[in-house]
mmCIF file of all heavy atoms in Angstrom:
data_model
loop_
_atom_site.group_PDB
_atom_site.id
_atom_site.type_symbol
_atom_site.label_atom_id
_atom_site.label_comp_id
_atom_site.label_asym_id
_atom_site.label_seq_id
_atom_site.Cartn_x
_atom_site.Cartn_y
_atom_site.Cartn_z
ATOM 1 N N GLN A 468 -21.784 -4.409 -1.732
ATOM 2 C CA GLN A 468 -22.194 -3.848 -3.027
ATOM 3 C C GLN A 468 -23.546 -3.158 -2.929
ATOM 4 O O GLN A 468 -24.437 -3.619 -2.214
ATOM 5 C CB GLN A 468 -22.272 -4.977 -4.065
ATOM 6 C CG GLN A 468 -22.481 -4.499 -5.487
ATOM 7 C CD GLN A 468 -22.349 -5.644 -6.493
ATOM 8 O OE1 GLN A 468 -23.281 -6.409 -6.686
ATOM 9 N NE2 GLN A 468 -21.181 -5.758 -7.091
ATOM 10 N N GLU A 469 -23.688 -2.053 -3.647
ATOM 11 C CA GLU A 469 -24.967 -1.354 -3.760
ATOM 12 C C GLU A 469 -24.976 -0.592 -5.091
ATOM 13 O O GLU A 469 -23.922 -0.334 -5.677
ATOM 14 C CB GLU A 469 -25.180 -0.407 -2.579
ATOM 15 C CG GLU A 469 -24.019 0.490 -2.267
ATOM 16 C CD GLU A 469 -24.073 1.007 -0.831
ATOM 17 O OE1 GLU A 469 -25.020 1.738 -0.506
ATOM 18 O OE2 GLU A 469 -23.167 0.676 -0.045
ATOM 19 N N SER A 470 -26.161 -0.217 -5.557
ATOM 20 C CA SER A 470 -26.233 0.483 -6.839
ATOM 21 C C SER A 470 -27.197 1.654 -6.744
ATOM 22 O O SER A 470 -28.080 1.698 -5.889
ATOM 23 C CB SER A 470 -26.666 -0.473 -7.964
ATOM 24 O OG SER A 470 -27.968 -0.947 -7.739
ATOM 25 N N LEU A 471 -27.003 2.612 -7.638
ATOM 26 C CA LEU A 471 -27.866 3.794 -7.679
ATOM 27 C C LEU A 471 -27.839 4.365 -9.094
ATOM 28 O O LEU A 471 -26.891 4.115 -9.848
ATOM 29 C CB LEU A 471 -27.408 4.856 -6.681
ATOM 30 C CG LEU A 471 -26.054 5.511 -6.894
ATOM 31 C CD1 LEU A 471 -25.992 6.825 -6.127
ATOM 32 C CD2 LEU A 471 -24.927 4.599 -6.398
ATOM 33 N N ASP A 472 -28.884 5.110 -9.428
ATOM 34 C CA ASP A 472 -28.983 5.717 -10.752
ATOM 35 C C ASP A 472 -28.637 7.198 -10.678
ATOM 36 O O ASP A 472 -29.101 7.915 -9.776
ATOM 37 C CB ASP A 472 -30.394 5.540 -11.316
ATOM 38 C CG ASP A 472 -30.724 4.083 -11.580
ATOM 39 O OD1 ASP A 472 -29.787 3.252 -11.554
ATOM 40 O OD2 ASP A 472 -31.903 3.764 -11.801
ATOM 41 N N VAL A 473 -27.811 7.644 -11.619
ATOM 42 C CA VAL A 473 -27.322 9.020 -11.657
ATOM 43 C C VAL A 473 -27.835 9.685 -12.924
ATOM 44 O O VAL A 473 -27.815 9.076 -14.009
ATOM 45 C CB VAL A 473 -25.771 9.029 -11.626
ATOM 46 C CG1 VAL A 473 -25.240 10.448 -11.727
ATOM 47 C CG2 VAL A 473 -25.265 8.344 -10.364
ATOM 48 N N GLN A 474 -28.254 10.930 -12.807
ATOM 49 C CA GLN A 474 -28.813 11.657 -13.958
ATOM 50 C C GLN A 474 -27.680 12.328 -14.737
ATOM 51 O O GLN A 474 -27.577 13.562 -14.811
ATOM 52 C CB GLN A 474 -29.833 12.688 -13.483
ATOM 53 C CG GLN A 474 -30.960 12.111 -12.641
ATOM 54 C CD GLN A 474 -31.800 11.082 -13.373
ATOM 55 O OE1 GLN A 474 -32.262 11.345 -14.477
ATOM 56 N NE2 GLN A 474 -31.970 9.918 -12.782
ATOM 57 N N ALA A 475 -26.814 11.498 -15.286
ATOM 58 C CA ALA A 475 -25.696 12.014 -16.086
ATOM 59 C C ALA A 475 -25.207 10.915 -17.013
ATOM 60 O O ALA A 475 -25.332 9.721 -16.705
ATOM 61 C CB ALA A 475 -24.548 12.481 -15.183
ATOM 62 N N ASN A 476 -24.616 11.323 -18.114
ATOM 63 C CA ASN A 476 -24.040 10.386 -19.071
ATOM 64 C C ASN A 476 -22.826 9.687 -18.439
ATOM 65 O O ASN A 476 -22.063 10.309 -17.692
ATOM 66 C CB ASN A 476 -23.622 11.150 -20.335
ATOM 67 C CG ASN A 476 -23.138 10.224 -21.432
ATOM 68 O OD1 ASN A 476 -21.986 9.819 -21.454
ATOM 69 N ND2 ASN A 476 -24.030 9.887 -22.346
ATOM 70 N N TRP A 477 -22.641 8.427 -18.770
ATOM 71 C CA TRP A 477 -21.551 7.649 -18.159
ATOM 72 C C TRP A 477 -20.185 8.250 -18.459
ATOM 73 O O TRP A 477 -19.258 8.161 -17.641
ATOM 74 C CB TRP A 477 -21.614 6.199 -18.635
ATOM 75 C CG TRP A 477 -21.262 5.998 -20.101
ATOM 76 C CD1 TRP A 477 -22.096 6.148 -21.171
ATOM 77 C CD2 TRP A 477 -19.986 5.645 -20.630
ATOM 78 N NE1 TRP A 477 -21.421 5.906 -22.338
ATOM 79 C CE2 TRP A 477 -20.128 5.582 -22.038
ATOM 80 C CE3 TRP A 477 -18.748 5.351 -20.063
ATOM 81 C CZ2 TRP A 477 -19.060 5.257 -22.876
ATOM 82 C CZ3 TRP A 477 -17.686 5.019 -20.899
ATOM 83 C CH2 TRP A 477 -17.843 4.981 -22.298
ATOM 84 N N LYS A 478 -20.031 8.907 -19.619
ATOM 85 C CA LYS A 478 -18.723 9.478 -19.979
ATOM 86 C C LYS A 478 -18.383 10.666 -19.080
ATOM 87 O O LYS A 478 -17.219 10.888 -18.747
ATOM 88 C CB LYS A 478 -18.704 9.886 -21.466
ATOM 89 C CG LYS A 478 -18.905 8.707 -22.421
ATOM 90 C CD LYS A 478 -18.726 9.086 -23.873
ATOM 91 C CE LYS A 478 -19.801 10.007 -24.408
ATOM 92 N NZ LYS A 478 -21.156 9.397 -24.395
ATOM 93 N N LEU A 479 -19.384 11.423 -18.694
ATOM 94 C CA LEU A 479 -19.128 12.531 -17.757
ATOM 95 C C LEU A 479 -18.614 12.001 -16.421
ATOM 96 O O LEU A 479 -17.728 12.589 -15.798
ATOM 97 C CB LEU A 479 -20.403 13.335 -17.521
ATOM 98 C CG LEU A 479 -20.784 14.439 -18.485
ATOM 99 C CD1 LEU A 479 -22.006 15.186 -17.932
ATOM 100 C CD2 LEU A 479 -19.628 15.391 -18.712
ATOM 101 N N ILE A 480 -19.182 10.888 -15.986
ATOM 102 C CA ILE A 480 -18.809 10.330 -14.681
ATOM 103 C C ILE A 480 -17.365 9.843 -14.697
ATOM 104 O O ILE A 480 -16.581 10.128 -13.786
ATOM 105 C CB ILE A 480 -19.774 9.195 -14.295
ATOM 106 C CG1 ILE A 480 -21.197 9.749 -14.176
ATOM 107 C CG2 ILE A 480 -19.333 8.538 -12.991
ATOM 108 C CD1 ILE A 480 -22.259 8.675 -13.974
ATOM 109 N N THR A 481 -16.981 9.132 -15.750
ATOM 110 C CA THR A 481 -15.593 8.633 -15.777
ATOM 111 C C THR A 481 -14.610 9.772 -16.057
ATOM 112 O O THR A 481 -13.503 9.794 -15.520
ATOM 113 C CB THR A 481 -15.423 7.475 -16.788
ATOM 114 O OG1 THR A 481 -14.120 6.910 -16.623
ATOM 115 C CG2 THR A 481 -15.628 7.908 -18.223
ATOM 116 N N GLU A 482 -15.000 10.760 -16.854
ATOM 117 C CA GLU A 482 -14.107 11.910 -17.077
ATOM 118 C C GLU A 482 -13.865 12.662 -15.770
ATOM 119 O O GLU A 482 -12.742 13.088 -15.485
ATOM 120 C CB GLU A 482 -14.707 12.850 -18.122
ATOM 121 C CG GLU A 482 -14.633 12.320 -19.544
ATOM 122 C CD GLU A 482 -15.225 13.310 -20.542
ATOM 123 O OE1 GLU A 482 -15.853 14.295 -20.108
ATOM 124 O OE2 GLU A 482 -15.050 13.102 -21.744
ATOM 125 N N ASN A 483 -14.907 12.812 -14.994
ATOM 126 C CA ASN A 483 -14.755 13.481 -13.698
ATOM 127 C C ASN A 483 -13.771 12.718 -12.807
ATOM 128 O O ASN A 483 -12.922 13.303 -12.131
ATOM 129 C CB ASN A 483 -16.127 13.576 -13.027
ATOM 130 C CG ASN A 483 -16.061 14.176 -11.648
ATOM 131 O OD1 ASN A 483 -15.753 15.347 -11.488
ATOM 132 N ND2 ASN A 483 -16.352 13.370 -10.626
ATOM 133 N N PHE A 484 -13.847 11.394 -12.857
ATOM 134 C CA PHE A 484 -12.944 10.565 -12.060
ATOM 135 C C PHE A 484 -11.493 10.701 -12.531
ATOM 136 O O PHE A 484 -10.553 10.582 -11.732
ATOM 137 C CB PHE A 484 -13.389 9.096 -12.175
ATOM 138 C CG PHE A 484 -12.494 8.119 -11.467
ATOM 139 C CD1 PHE A 484 -12.658 7.853 -10.109
ATOM 140 C CD2 PHE A 484 -11.487 7.447 -12.157
ATOM 141 C CE1 PHE A 484 -11.833 6.949 -9.455
ATOM 142 C CE2 PHE A 484 -10.657 6.545 -11.518
ATOM 143 C CZ PHE A 484 -10.838 6.299 -10.161
ATOM 144 N N GLN A 485 -11.314 10.945 -13.830
ATOM 145 C CA GLN A 485 -9.972 10.904 -14.405
ATOM 146 C C GLN A 485 -9.171 12.182 -14.201
ATOM 147 O O GLN A 485 -7.992 12.235 -14.557
ATOM 148 C CB GLN A 485 -10.057 10.595 -15.908
ATOM 149 C CG GLN A 485 -10.517 9.175 -16.205
ATOM 150 C CD GLN A 485 -10.858 8.986 -17.664
ATOM 151 O OE1 GLN A 485 -10.307 9.659 -18.528
ATOM 152 N NE2 GLN A 485 -11.755 8.070 -17.947
ATOM 153 N N GLU A 486 -9.764 13.211 -13.670
ATOM 154 C CA GLU A 486 -8.977 14.402 -13.338
ATOM 155 C C GLU A 486 -9.112 14.705 -11.850
ATOM 156 O O GLU A 486 -10.148 14.423 -11.254
ATOM 157 C CB GLU A 486 -9.367 15.607 -14.208
ATOM 158 C CG GLU A 486 -10.838 15.955 -14.218
ATOM 159 C CD GLU A 486 -11.275 16.765 -13.030
ATOM 160 O OE1 GLU A 486 -10.412 17.128 -12.211
ATOM 161 O OE2 GLU A 486 -12.490 17.002 -12.895
ATOM 162 N N TYR A 487 -8.075 15.265 -11.271
ATOM 163 C CA TYR A 487 -8.074 15.455 -9.821
ATOM 164 C C TYR A 487 -8.086 16.920 -9.409
ATOM 165 O O TYR A 487 -8.078 17.220 -8.217
ATOM 166 C CB TYR A 487 -6.878 14.747 -9.174
ATOM 167 C CG TYR A 487 -5.524 15.076 -9.759
ATOM 168 C CD1 TYR A 487 -4.877 16.263 -9.430
ATOM 169 C CD2 TYR A 487 -4.898 14.202 -10.625
ATOM 170 C CE1 TYR A 487 -3.632 16.559 -9.963
ATOM 171 C CE2 TYR A 487 -3.650 14.485 -11.162
ATOM 172 C CZ TYR A 487 -3.020 15.664 -10.825
ATOM 173 O OH TYR A 487 -1.791 15.950 -11.359
ATOM 174 N N TYR A 488 -8.100 17.848 -10.369
ATOM 175 C CA TYR A 488 -8.063 19.241 -9.936
ATOM 176 C C TYR A 488 -9.374 19.699 -9.306
ATOM 177 O O TYR A 488 -9.426 20.758 -8.679
ATOM 178 C CB TYR A 488 -7.637 20.170 -11.080
ATOM 179 C CG TYR A 488 -8.535 20.206 -12.297
ATOM 180 C CD1 TYR A 488 -9.731 20.910 -12.288
ATOM 181 C CD2 TYR A 488 -8.161 19.545 -13.454
ATOM 182 C CE1 TYR A 488 -10.543 20.948 -13.407
ATOM 183 C CE2 TYR A 488 -8.972 19.572 -14.583
ATOM 184 C CZ TYR A 488 -10.154 20.272 -14.555
ATOM 185 O OH TYR A 488 -10.971 20.298 -15.659
ATOM 186 N N HIS A 489 -10.436 18.856 -9.460
ATOM 187 C CA HIS A 489 -11.706 19.251 -8.832
ATOM 188 C C HIS A 489 -11.741 18.913 -7.335
ATOM 189 O O HIS A 489 -12.688 19.283 -6.636
ATOM 190 C CB HIS A 489 -12.885 18.586 -9.551
ATOM 191 C CG HIS A 489 -13.041 17.110 -9.301
ATOM 192 N ND1 HIS A 489 -12.376 16.150 -10.009
ATOM 193 C CD2 HIS A 489 -13.798 16.439 -8.396
ATOM 194 C CE1 HIS A 489 -12.711 14.950 -9.569
ATOM 195 N NE2 HIS A 489 -13.570 15.090 -8.584
ATOM 196 N N LEU A 490 -10.722 18.208 -6.855
ATOM 197 C CA LEU A 490 -10.752 17.753 -5.456
ATOM 198 C C LEU A 490 -10.933 18.900 -4.472
ATOM 199 O O LEU A 490 -11.721 18.820 -3.527
ATOM 200 C CB LEU A 490 -9.455 17.002 -5.119
ATOM 201 C CG LEU A 490 -9.314 15.591 -5.700
ATOM 202 C CD1 LEU A 490 -7.909 15.071 -5.464
ATOM 203 C CD2 LEU A 490 -10.339 14.662 -5.095
ATOM 204 N N THR A 491 -10.170 19.962 -4.685
ATOM 205 C CA THR A 491 -10.179 21.054 -3.713
ATOM 206 C C THR A 491 -11.562 21.634 -3.528
ATOM 207 O O THR A 491 -11.974 21.941 -2.409
ATOM 208 C CB THR A 491 -9.216 22.160 -4.161
ATOM 209 O OG1 THR A 491 -7.909 21.586 -4.280
ATOM 210 C CG2 THR A 491 -9.190 23.303 -3.156
ATOM 211 N N TRP A 492 -12.300 21.752 -4.624
ATOM 212 C CA TRP A 492 -13.588 22.437 -4.567
ATOM 213 C C TRP A 492 -14.760 21.484 -4.358
ATOM 214 O O TRP A 492 -15.725 21.824 -3.699
ATOM 215 C CB TRP A 492 -13.801 23.245 -5.845
ATOM 216 C CG TRP A 492 -12.702 24.228 -6.070
ATOM 217 C CD1 TRP A 492 -12.326 25.219 -5.211
ATOM 218 C CD2 TRP A 492 -11.825 24.307 -7.184
ATOM 219 N NE1 TRP A 492 -11.254 25.914 -5.731
ATOM 220 C CE2 TRP A 492 -10.937 25.382 -6.948
ATOM 221 C CE3 TRP A 492 -11.697 23.586 -8.367
ATOM 222 C CZ2 TRP A 492 -9.932 25.746 -7.846
ATOM 223 C CZ3 TRP A 492 -10.710 23.946 -9.262
ATOM 224 C CH2 TRP A 492 -9.841 25.007 -8.998
ATOM 225 N N VAL A 493 -14.679 20.290 -4.962
ATOM 226 C CA VAL A 493 -15.814 19.360 -4.877
ATOM 227 C C VAL A 493 -15.716 18.452 -3.651
ATOM 228 O O VAL A 493 -16.721 18.049 -3.078
ATOM 229 C CB VAL A 493 -15.905 18.514 -6.168
ATOM 230 C CG1 VAL A 493 -17.010 17.472 -6.071
ATOM 231 C CG2 VAL A 493 -16.134 19.424 -7.375
ATOM 232 N N HIS A 494 -14.477 18.139 -3.244
ATOM 233 C CA HIS A 494 -14.271 17.188 -2.145
ATOM 234 C C HIS A 494 -13.364 17.785 -1.070
ATOM 235 O O HIS A 494 -12.207 17.367 -0.919
ATOM 236 C CB HIS A 494 -13.606 15.903 -2.651
ATOM 237 C CG HIS A 494 -14.286 15.247 -3.791
ATOM 238 N ND1 HIS A 494 -15.567 14.751 -3.715
ATOM 239 C CD2 HIS A 494 -13.862 14.978 -5.056
ATOM 240 C CE1 HIS A 494 -15.903 14.220 -4.875
ATOM 241 N NE2 HIS A 494 -14.887 14.349 -5.707
ATOM 242 N N PRO A 495 -13.836 18.732 -0.318
ATOM 243 C CA PRO A 495 -12.953 19.325 0.700
ATOM 244 C C PRO A 495 -12.463 18.319 1.732
ATOM 245 O O PRO A 495 -11.331 18.448 2.219
ATOM 246 C CB PRO A 495 -13.842 20.404 1.342
ATOM 247 C CG PRO A 495 -15.243 20.070 0.946
ATOM 248 C CD PRO A 495 -15.157 19.374 -0.359
ATOM 249 N N GLU A 496 -13.258 17.287 2.042
ATOM 250 C CA GLU A 496 -12.810 16.289 3.017
ATOM 251 C C GLU A 496 -11.803 15.328 2.387
ATOM 252 O O GLU A 496 -10.770 15.022 2.970
ATOM 253 C CB GLU A 496 -14.014 15.504 3.573
ATOM 254 C CG GLU A 496 -14.862 16.298 4.535
ATOM 255 C CD GLU A 496 -14.064 16.704 5.773
ATOM 256 O OE1 GLU A 496 -13.418 15.839 6.386
ATOM 257 O OE2 GLU A 496 -14.090 17.904 6.107
ATOM 258 N N LEU A 497 -12.092 14.858 1.187
ATOM 259 C CA LEU A 497 -11.159 13.964 0.502
ATOM 260 C C LEU A 497 -9.824 14.660 0.267
ATOM 261 O O LEU A 497 -8.758 14.047 0.351
ATOM 262 C CB LEU A 497 -11.755 13.491 -0.826
ATOM 263 C CG LEU A 497 -10.877 12.600 -1.708
ATOM 264 C CD1 LEU A 497 -10.524 11.296 -0.985
ATOM 265 C CD2 LEU A 497 -11.569 12.295 -3.030
ATOM 266 N N ALA A 498 -9.881 15.951 -0.031
ATOM 267 C CA ALA A 498 -8.652 16.689 -0.323
ATOM 268 C C ALA A 498 -7.724 16.776 0.883
ATOM 269 O O ALA A 498 -6.540 17.099 0.736
ATOM 270 C CB ALA A 498 -8.988 18.088 -0.828
ATOM 271 N N LYS A 499 -8.255 16.465 2.070
ATOM 272 C CA LYS A 499 -7.394 16.464 3.255
ATOM 273 C C LYS A 499 -6.500 15.220 3.310
ATOM 274 O O LYS A 499 -5.448 15.247 3.946
ATOM 275 C CB LYS A 499 -8.251 16.514 4.532
ATOM 276 C CG LYS A 499 -9.010 17.821 4.723
ATOM 277 C CD LYS A 499 -9.860 17.750 5.985
ATOM 278 C CE LYS A 499 -10.624 19.051 6.190
ATOM 279 N NZ LYS A 499 -11.527 18.971 7.367
ATOM 280 N N VAL A 500 -6.943 14.139 2.702
ATOM 281 C CA VAL A 500 -6.176 12.895 2.768
ATOM 282 C C VAL A 500 -5.687 12.452 1.393
ATOM 283 O O VAL A 500 -4.947 11.481 1.274
ATOM 284 C CB VAL A 500 -7.020 11.767 3.404
ATOM 285 C CG1 VAL A 500 -7.306 12.094 4.860
ATOM 286 C CG2 VAL A 500 -8.314 11.551 2.639
ATOM 287 N N SER A 501 -6.129 13.134 0.354
ATOM 288 C CA SER A 501 -5.707 12.807 -1.007
ATOM 289 C C SER A 501 -5.487 14.143 -1.705
ATOM 290 O O SER A 501 -6.273 14.575 -2.522
ATOM 291 C CB SER A 501 -6.807 11.976 -1.690
ATOM 292 O OG SER A 501 -6.415 11.569 -2.982
ATOM 293 N N ARG A 502 -4.407 14.787 -1.336
ATOM 294 C CA ARG A 502 -4.207 16.176 -1.711
ATOM 295 C C ARG A 502 -3.851 16.324 -3.192
ATOM 296 O O ARG A 502 -3.155 15.481 -3.751
ATOM 297 C CB ARG A 502 -3.085 16.791 -0.865
ATOM 298 C CG ARG A 502 -3.316 16.711 0.622
ATOM 299 C CD ARG A 502 -2.175 17.398 1.356
ATOM 300 N NE ARG A 502 -2.325 17.291 2.790
ATOM 301 C CZ ARG A 502 -1.710 16.375 3.530
ATOM 302 N NH1 ARG A 502 -0.904 15.504 2.971
ATOM 303 N NH2 ARG A 502 -1.906 16.331 4.828
ATOM 304 N N VAL A 503 -4.301 17.408 -3.781
ATOM 305 C CA VAL A 503 -3.934 17.689 -5.172
ATOM 306 C C VAL A 503 -2.417 17.682 -5.320
ATOM 307 O O VAL A 503 -1.861 17.134 -6.275
ATOM 308 C CB VAL A 503 -4.521 19.042 -5.612
ATOM 309 C CG1 VAL A 503 -3.956 19.466 -6.962
ATOM 310 C CG2 VAL A 503 -6.048 18.971 -5.673
ATOM 311 N N ALA A 504 -1.730 18.247 -4.345
ATOM 312 C CA ALA A 504 -0.264 18.346 -4.425
ATOM 313 C C ALA A 504 0.418 16.984 -4.399
ATOM 314 O O ALA A 504 1.569 16.861 -4.818
ATOM 315 C CB ALA A 504 0.256 19.212 -3.283
ATOM 316 N N ASP A 505 -0.280 15.958 -3.901
ATOM 317 C CA ASP A 505 0.322 14.621 -3.787
ATOM 318 C C ASP A 505 -0.126 13.684 -4.903
ATOM 319 O O ASP A 505 0.107 12.481 -4.831
ATOM 320 C CB ASP A 505 -0.027 14.003 -2.427
ATOM 321 C CG ASP A 505 0.566 14.784 -1.272
ATOM 322 O OD1 ASP A 505 1.662 15.354 -1.456
ATOM 323 O OD2 ASP A 505 -0.062 14.834 -0.195
ATOM 324 N N HIS A 506 -0.778 14.226 -5.929
ATOM 325 C CA HIS A 506 -1.219 13.407 -7.059
ATOM 326 C C HIS A 506 -0.150 13.384 -8.158
ATOM 327 O O HIS A 506 0.529 14.385 -8.393
ATOM 328 C CB HIS A 506 -2.515 13.959 -7.658
ATOM 329 C CG HIS A 506 -3.751 13.448 -6.972
ATOM 330 N ND1 HIS A 506 -4.111 13.817 -5.707
ATOM 331 C CD2 HIS A 506 -4.719 12.580 -7.402
ATOM 332 C CE1 HIS A 506 -5.242 13.213 -5.369
ATOM 333 N NE2 HIS A 506 -5.633 12.467 -6.379
ATOM 334 N N TYR A 507 -0.074 12.254 -8.822
ATOM 335 C CA TYR A 507 0.874 12.090 -9.921
ATOM 336 C C TYR A 507 0.229 11.221 -10.995
ATOM 337 O O TYR A 507 -0.709 10.477 -10.711
ATOM 338 C CB TYR A 507 2.164 11.401 -9.437
ATOM 339 C CG TYR A 507 2.812 12.084 -8.284
ATOM 340 C CD1 TYR A 507 2.508 11.706 -6.978
ATOM 341 C CD2 TYR A 507 3.702 13.137 -8.481
ATOM 342 C CE1 TYR A 507 3.086 12.345 -5.903
ATOM 343 C CE2 TYR A 507 4.294 13.780 -7.410
ATOM 344 C CZ TYR A 507 3.974 13.377 -6.121
ATOM 345 O OH TYR A 507 4.531 14.013 -5.050
ATOM 346 N N ARG A 508 0.774 11.321 -12.180
ATOM 347 C CA ARG A 508 0.344 10.396 -13.231
ATOM 348 C C ARG A 508 0.792 8.987 -12.880
ATOM 349 O O ARG A 508 1.793 8.787 -12.204
ATOM 350 C CB ARG A 508 0.926 10.811 -14.578
ATOM 351 C CG ARG A 508 0.190 11.974 -15.205
ATOM 352 C CD ARG A 508 0.859 12.446 -16.480
ATOM 353 N NE ARG A 508 0.980 11.383 -17.474
ATOM 354 C CZ ARG A 508 -0.025 10.954 -18.218
ATOM 355 N NH1 ARG A 508 -1.220 11.474 -18.069
ATOM 356 N NH2 ARG A 508 0.144 10.002 -19.119
#
Side-chain angles (χ1 to χ4, degrees):
Q468 189 172 81
E469 49 201 296
S470 64
L471 65 160
D472 294 347
V473 177
Q474 304 299 309
N476 186 277
W477 69 277
K478 298 187 292 297
L479 275 187
I480 298 173
T481 189
E482 286 181 350
N483 177 67
F484 176 85
Q485 291 168 28
E486 54 81 4
Y487 53 79
Y488 62 77
H489 73 275
L490 286 171
T491 301
W492 303 302
V493 176
H494 307 298
E496 287 298 310
L497 177 61
K499 293 178 180 176
V500 294
S501 183
R502 303 182 183 98
V503 170
D505 296 328
H506 274 70
Y507 305 92
R508 282 175 57 77

